[in-house]
Amino acid sequence: MTYYFKCGDSSVQAMSDEYSFKTMPSPGPNAYPSRIAVIGDLGLTSNSSTTINHVIKNDPALVLMVGDLTYANQYLTTGGQGASCFSCSFPNAPIRETYQPRWDGWGRFMEPLTSRVPMMVIEGNHEIEPQVDGITFQSYLTRFAVPSEESRSNSSFYYSFNAGGAHFIMLGAYVDYNITGTQYSWLMDDLHRVNRSLTPWVVAAWHPPWYNSYNSHYQEFECMRQEMEALLYQYKVDIVFNGHVHAYERMNRVYNYTLDPCGPVYITVGDGGNIEKVDVDFADDPGKCPKPDDNKPEFGGLCHLNFTSGPAKGNFCWSKQPEWSAYRESSFGHGILEVVNSTYALWTWHRNQDAYKEDTPGDQIFIVRQPKLCSPTTKETSDPPQGAQESEPTSPSSTVILSSKMMWLMSLLVALFGIVVR
Ligand SMILES: [Fe+2]
């Protein structure tokens, strides 16, 4: 359905131009938003501009923002210059105060995209913006409407929504995530209610990654992983999107730090282009393994662990790229998810520096759902939707990496015949 709208005050003839946007397809296994853009840690810099121009060029039907939107919380202290390590540069800054004109400017900056494409957001640490009397998250809560009531969470810090055959779960990393808390019990109910016949894909998103091999924020949210990972695994969440680390990283399917064909594909896109610059060091680089308390979360405790098995057994950091890390690159960019049917989704990461030349993907894979392999515990029918066939497992990981020629051929076959090749 297309909605037409104007913003402003008609009583004083101060109305905007007319804009329109399309709502998401109704839940069902055969209809998906054409392209879903995933952006993290955007900010408001020349790199942010390149990212958003690139996103607009890729013509998404839905935008997912995985936290740290404006960086307005450090604008006054840094004089707009930013700091790659805020607490190092400004150890005596009492709070990371908000600066509302920066939020307004970011809103105008985003208008060419958000005036016509629905955008769903989740909070990051830069949205905390502490004020007197313990007040937090005021800009985030005031400026964005999220379907918390509709998804029965009754909290803007975590909620869910459907977009065609995909169910999205947005989680809060800066509010209670413990098994005993209300977010966890809501998540359990929400996952239980998902009807995989209607929404075969379940995609989760929150700000700080659980799986991250960069030095920056390494194992920072290990406590959250230890509380929630088993539940996401039990309900066979397909994909997890995160930000926070200012670089790109895609993981192999993993559960409890062990490769597992039934674990989610984790993808970090905290590379939107903010003023804190890109993260370049890996925790497995010589001399770059952080000390356990180098990366303190802005919410929750420290639960750092040394690995108990595998090549990094007994150590806090790996000595090479971990086996669960499939691809990592320190460039700004954004991702596009194109769900083809209930089995296949194409994920493409677009680097900013490729925006102005032949737009070669920085990273591209088909993500393949294999519900029969992974014995679902949810209400999933065993029959694939019309026109689709479940694929047999092709590798220990059900993330299939194909050459660009094969992907082109596959896309063509799907487009022409509505079938899926093995
Ligand atoms: Fe962050």
Side-chain angles (χ1 to χ4, degrees):
M1 185 183 293
T2 303
Y3 278 82
Y4 297 87
F5 69 97
K6 290 181 177 183
C7 297
D9 183 349
S10 55
S11 69
V12 291
Q13 294 188 324
M15 297 299 290
S16 71
D17 292 338
E18 184 175 280
Y19 297 99
S20 67
F21 69 92
K22 283 199 173 74
T23 54
M24 294 296 102
S26 298
N30 299 317
Y32 297 92
S34 55
R35 280 169 297 283
I36 301 162
V38 191
I39 309 168
D41 305 67
L42 181 61
L44 187 50
T45 69
S46 57
N47 289 311
S48 321
S49 295
T50 309
T51 301
I52 291 303
N53 289 338
H54 205 176
V55 169
I56 289 171
K57 204 168 124 189
N58 282 327
D59 193 23
L62 172 66
V63 176
L64 219 60
M65 293 288 289
V66 293
D68 284 2
L69 310 174
T70 66
Y71 291 73
N73 69 326
Q74 57 180 221
Y75 187 77
L76 282 180
T77 306
T78 65
Q81 300 301 305
S84 53
C85 174
F86 184 94
S87 52
C88 313
S89 304
F90 302 97
N92 299 318
I95 54 171
R96 297 193 183 194
E97 70 275 50
T98 185
Y99 184 57
Q100 291 302 307
R102 196 67 177 167
W103 275 97
D104 295 341
W106 189 85
R108 287 191 291 275
F109 161 67
M110 292 295 284
E111 187 180 320
L113 180 64
T114 52
S115 59
R116 58 185 187 80
V117 182
M119 177 175 81
M120 303 304 275
V121 299
I122 197 67
E123 73 276 10
N125 52 306
H126 284 271
E127 277 69 66
I128 298 173
E129 299 187 323
Q131 299 180 55
V132 292
D133 299 332
I135 296 170
T136 52
F137 288 108
Q138 283 306 291
S139 308
Y140 169 78
L141 293 171
T142 308
R143 289 173 180 268
F144 299 103
V146 297
S148 50
E149 270 183 55
E150 293 84 343
S151 56
R152 305 190 201 178
S153 88
N154 296 317
S155 165
S156 296
F157 297 125
Y158 49 89
Y159 63 94
S160 66
F161 65 96
N162 293 326
H167 182 71
F168 288 86
I169 299 174
M170 312 293 272
L171 295 179
Y174 300 93
V175 290
D176 187 0
Y177 47 66
N178 291 304
I179 287 175
T180 50
T182 51
Q183 177 174 210
Y184 189 92
S185 53
W186 167 80
L187 175 62
M188 206 156 46
D189 288 347
D190 190 81
L191 285 165
H192 187 68
R193 279 197 302 272
V194 174
N195 181 344
R196 300 300 274 264
S197 303
L198 273 181
T199 56
W201 291 85
V202 175
V203 178
W206 62 90
H207 184 60
W210 294 346
Y211 289 95
N212 162 42
S213 68
Y214 286 86
N215 166 299
S216 176
H217 304 302
Y218 184 75
Q219 284 204 19
E220 189 175 286
F221 273 76
E222 181 61 15
C223 293
M224 186 185 180
R225 183 189 74 79
Q226 291 177 18
E227 293 290 314
M228 287 186 151
E229 185 182 25
L231 185 58
L232 298 188
Y233 181 77
Q234 181 193 345
Y235 282 91
K236 306 304 169 209
V237 168
D238 298 294
I239 310 172
V240 170
F241 291 119
N242 302 115
H244 200 43
V245 175
H246 299 163
Y248 176 73
E249 185 166 21
R250 173 175 56 82
M251 265 46 75
N252 289 311
R253 288 184 182 273
V254 61
Y255 174 59
N256 198 22
Y257 281 111
T258 306
L259 293 184
D260 188 319
C262 302
V265 174
Y266 291 83
I267 298 173
T268 299
V269 284
D271 57 342
N274 69 70
I275 204 160
E276 292 181 334
K277 306 190 183 90
V278 76
D279 288 322
V280 294
D281 293 327
F282 301 123
D284 47 276
D285 283 340
K288 297 293 182 184
C289 180
K291 293 186 195 68
D293 60 352
D294 277 353
N295 293 314
K296 287 192 187 122
E298 289 184 56
F299 181 86
L302 287 170
C303 296
H304 293 135
L305 58 78
N306 285 355
F307 295 97
T308 53
S309 60
K313 186 175 178 181
N315 296 320
F316 183 49
C317 293
W318 290 57
S319 57
K320 59 178 183 178
Q321 181 172 8
E323 58 198 12
W324 36 264
S325 170
Y327 184 75
R328 54 190 186 178
E329 182 177 320
S330 301
S331 298
F332 291 132
H334 74 280
I336 295 283
L337 182 71
E338 298 169 76
V339 183
V340 179
N341 55 28
S342 61
T343 304
Y344 288 93
L346 181 66
W347 166 256
T348 308
W349 175 61
H350 295 269
R351 288 187 198 95
N352 277 7
Q353 61 261 41
D354 294 336
Y356 302 113
K357 56 178 189 179
E358 189 185 342
D359 197 357
T360 320
D363 182 36
Q364 191 170 52
I365 54 159
F366 268 106
I367 298 173
V368 185
R369 293 189 64 250
Q370 299 184 100
K372 284 180 185 169
L373 172 74
C374 298
S375 324
T377 56
T378 48
K379 296 171 273 182
E380 179 145 23
T381 57
S382 55
D383 298 327
Q386 205 174 13
Q389 300 167 11
E390 297 294 343
S391 64
E392 296 300 321
T394 52
S395 70
S397 165
S398 53
T399 305
V400 179
I401 303 172
L402 303 168
S403 73
S404 56
K405 274 186 185 165
M406 281 176 73
M407 283 189 285
W408 179 85
L409 180 63
M410 200 163 172
S411 303
L412 187 68
L413 284 169
V414 170
L416 287 177
F417 304 112
I419 60 163
V420 174
V421 292
R422 293 186 183 197

